Amino acid sequence: MKQLKFSGFIFFLLFLTESLSLLTETQDVDSFGITQKFIEENTGSITIIAFAQYVQEATFDEMEILVKDIIEYRDKCLAHKTLPECAEIAINVLQGRICAIEGLPQKYNFSHCCSKMGFERRLCFLYNKKADVGFLPPFPTLDPEEKCQAYKINTESFLNRYMHEVARRNPFAFGPTLLTVAARFEEVAKTCCEEQQKASCFQAKAAPITQYLKAMSSYQKTVCGAFLKFGPKVLNSINIAVFSQKFPRIEFKELTSLLEDVSSMYDGCCEGDVLQCIRYQSQVMSHICSKQESISSKIKECCEEKMPEREACIINSSKDGRPQDLSLREAKFTDNENVCQERDTDPGNFFAEFLYEYSRRHPELSTPELLRIARVYEDLLADCCNKENPPDCYRQAEDKFNETTERSLRMVQQECEQLQNLGKDGLKYHSLIELTKIAPQLSTEELISLGKEMVTALTTCCTLSEEFACVDNLADLVLGELCGINTNRTINPAVDHCCKANFAFRRLCFKELKGDEMYEPPSSQGFFTSCVDWCQAQNEELQRKKDRFLVNLVKLKPGLTYEELQSLFTSFTNMVEKCCKMQEPEACFLEEGPKIGN
């Protein structure tokens, strides 16, 4: 991957002290050296990612001002290594230099962050990121020939501009993920620019990169949202469930050790500290690769890859097979006479081990479902351990677990039946109506995006053998997008409650929501009559107009039933078709529109 026109050596000097403090027993000096070399070689890309994610509105040219400033900072620190400012940690240096760019904080409205220091400033920059990127201009698209010409004339500038555009549109994606995307796009450009059929080559090879970025960004945003809203306990529970399913033969003690590194990784990545995120993720992967025999049989080839593909390969590797000697259930949590005493000795470790044992035995369940089971068990023991005969009470635990799973399973089955009955387009319209009714305060584009993601979850999963886990996992990611990362994000009281009350059960909470009764609809003036531009729209643009119209229709008339809204929508599209055939469409719309609105 190419870098900007200045040496990565500056970052090696600035961050060497900081990096050395991260060395642990699980990351030896060789591994540290590889990570440091990777950072050194990709300094330009790391700078672009950090700047573009913090100041999404800024242009590429404005970013180059920061680069120039960092060069001056480097020169000063090379000449005067003992200056106090040269000992600052990386993220503080970067944010300080961003704040120091004349007029930039005022122009893009982040001067309130610059007035803070240390952790408070870092948190402010994080919460200043915008998930809804509708304010940005459309992603620059070039004709394949122009694209390849730009690539060949100045490869470095071409790839850096691509990274800038991708990073600012994905402000919560982890640095290593964006570096992987950039490296893969570089390979695509290199290959496709040598092909005769450049357009079809780019289309075929770029699509998987886009899908990878979308999936990873969505997962990372959801997990960071859970971490920031619910704290380290929920983050740890998510990771226990995920790692226990992925690596079912790992010992609990080894998992606990690994999760210490994973927790540190999320501290840096969720905060938006690109450098720390790269370092800690490398540390986690080095830990896993150093214990392959006891962790997984599926990652040997991944561990032979170089950064960042090693990390991406391990994350996306398939689950290991269930150990043959693993019993169908772990009796110590339900049949043991001393369950309450063991719980009271160390509750955190006790419930973590329960989740580990249950997760590795149930690869067919989703992560949210495993967390629901863990919560049901925790609540059950809180009740049973206060009774006269606790063992008689908690021996019913398996029945409680099955009831919980059956409830979740019914929810997924109903969703898949809905897809079967309505079809893909019908389901999309149903999802748009449902989402807009419960969260009309969201922007139209955001609601359309969420609706499409929900449909993608169902169309992707409903025919698979692992239907339940697939639907439940992906649908929960859609809710993660809706709830967002920021702890102060407010939509309306009912939605806010579901987003903040209980992470494991939020899917079920959202299923109970109806419309927002406190919502006040906007004015309907001109809504059904200002439609002349529909006559020029075709294919994708026409579909986008239909989606936007339906969402805005629900915002306008939230009290109507699904059937009534569907009827109005059909009447409107029929009117458009009729009026666009007329010699004077505008007059037709003015005459026919009011009939629909009343």
Side-chain angles (χ1 to χ4, degrees), residues 530-546:
S530 305
C531 315
V532 179
D533 59 333
W534 281 67
C535 297
Q536 282 74 49
Q538 292 181 345
N539 303 327
E540 287 183 16
E541 178 56 30
L542 181 60
Q543 190 56 60
R544 281 194 290 270
K545 282 184 173 293
K546 287 182 178 180

Side-chain angles (χ1 to χ4, degrees), residues 47-299:
T47 306
I48 291 169
I49 290 169
F51 181 79
Q53 289 189 320
Y54 283 136
V55 193
Q56 293 161 269
E57 302 92 336
T59 64
F60 185 81
D61 291 341
E62 286 169 327
M63 189 206 69
E64 289 185 318
I65 296 173
L66 176 68
V67 172
K68 182 175 180 294
D69 196 43
I70 287 179
I71 292 172
E72 291 173 2
Y73 178 77
R74 173 201 63 181
D75 293 342
K76 185 194 291 186
C77 288
L78 285 174
H80 308 283
K81 297 183 183 66
T82 56
L83 285 173
E85 64 188 276
C86 297
E88 285 186 67
I89 63 171
I91 193 170
N92 289 352
V93 170
L94 180 70
Q95 291 180 348
R97 298 288 147 172
I98 290 173
C99 287
I101 298 174
E102 188 177 352
L104 202 73
Q106 294 76 23
K107 182 179 179 181
Y108 296 122
N109 197 28
F110 62 91
S111 52
H112 59 290
C113 294
C114 296
S115 65
K116 303 177 190 295
M117 296 299 291
F119 177 72
E120 285 192 358
R121 177 188 278 181
R122 296 200 293 273
L123 209 58
C124 183
F125 266 98
L126 172 67
Y127 288 153
N128 208 49
K129 291 181 179 184
K130 303 166 191 72
D132 184 358
V133 294
F135 63 91
L136 291 176
F139 195 98
T141 54
L142 293 174
D143 172 88
E145 292 293 343
E146 292 177 320
K147 197 180 289 184
C148 289
Q149 192 177 9
Y151 173 72
K152 287 173 181 175
I153 290 172
N154 192 333
T155 302
E156 186 179 305
S157 175
F158 175 79
L159 294 171
N160 286 336
R161 286 177 184 277
Y162 171 80
M163 172 58 75
H164 174 250
E165 294 294 350
V166 170
R168 66 182 182 150
R169 284 170 172 77
N170 295 275
F172 299 106
F174 292 175
T177 298
L178 293 171
L179 290 169
T180 299
V181 166
R184 290 180 182 179
F185 181 73
E186 182 175 1
E187 287 304 311
V188 167
K190 195 182 297 180
T191 302
C192 292
C193 286
E194 298 301 319
E195 294 286 327
Q196 198 91 34
Q197 303 294 327
K198 293 178 176 60
S200 56
C201 178
F202 271 108
Q203 197 170 5
K205 293 184 181 295
I209 299 175
T210 303
Q211 290 165 2
Y212 168 78
L213 173 60
K214 196 167 187 177
M216 292 299 293
S217 177
S218 183
Y219 178 77
Q220 289 159 0
K221 198 186 298 183
T222 295
V223 176
C224 287
F227 178 34
L228 293 167
K229 284 185 172 76
F230 299 98
K233 183 183 176 184
V234 167
L235 173 67
N236 203 47
S237 295
I238 293 170
N239 287 324
I240 290 170
V242 169
F243 280 89
S244 301
Q245 279 192 321
K246 194 175 187 69
F247 306 131
R249 69 188 200 188
I250 192 173
E251 294 293 332
F252 180 63
K253 186 178 178 183
E254 183 61 52
L255 176 66
T256 304
S257 171
L258 174 62
L259 290 182
E260 288 177 9
D261 287 344
V262 173
S263 294
S264 296
M265 179 189 84
Y266 276 103
D267 271 335
C269 294
C270 291
E271 192 179 297
D273 188 336
V274 179
L275 202 79
Q276 291 290 62
C277 186
I278 292 168
R279 287 218 185 87
Y280 277 121
Q281 189 177 95
S282 175
Q283 187 169 313
V284 168
M285 300 309 165
S286 295
H287 186 147
I288 291 170
C289 288
S290 70
K291 304 284 180 68
Q292 284 181 64
E293 290 182 8
S294 60
I295 292 179
S296 175
S297 61
K298 300 280 182 79
I299 56 172

Side-chain angles (χ1 to χ4, degrees), residues 417-433:
E417 283 170 11
Q418 214 168 45
L419 170 62
Q420 197 172 3
N421 294 334
L422 297 174
K424 187 176 177 181
D425 287 342
L427 181 67
K428 180 180 72 172
Y429 294 139
H430 187 277
S431 296
L432 290 176
I433 290 171

Side-chain angles (χ1 to χ4, degrees), residues 245 318-319 362-367 409 412-413 416 457-458 460-475 507:
Q245 279 192 321
S318 56
K319 293 174 183 175
H362 291 279
E364 77 285 359
L365 296 182
S366 65
T367 302
L409 187 58
V412 168
Q413 286 170 339
C416 287
L458 295 172
T460 301
C461 303
C462 283
T463 56
L464 300 179
S465 56
E466 62 271 24
E467 175 184 284
F468 170 65
C470 183
V471 170
D472 204 36
N473 279 327
L474 291 187
R507 268 258 285 156

Side-chain angles (χ1 to χ4, degrees), residues 12-22 86-87:
F12 183 82
L13 288 175
L14 292 177
F15 306 140
L16 183 60
T17 307
E18 184 183 344
S19 303
L20 287 170
S21 68
L22 300 176
C86 297

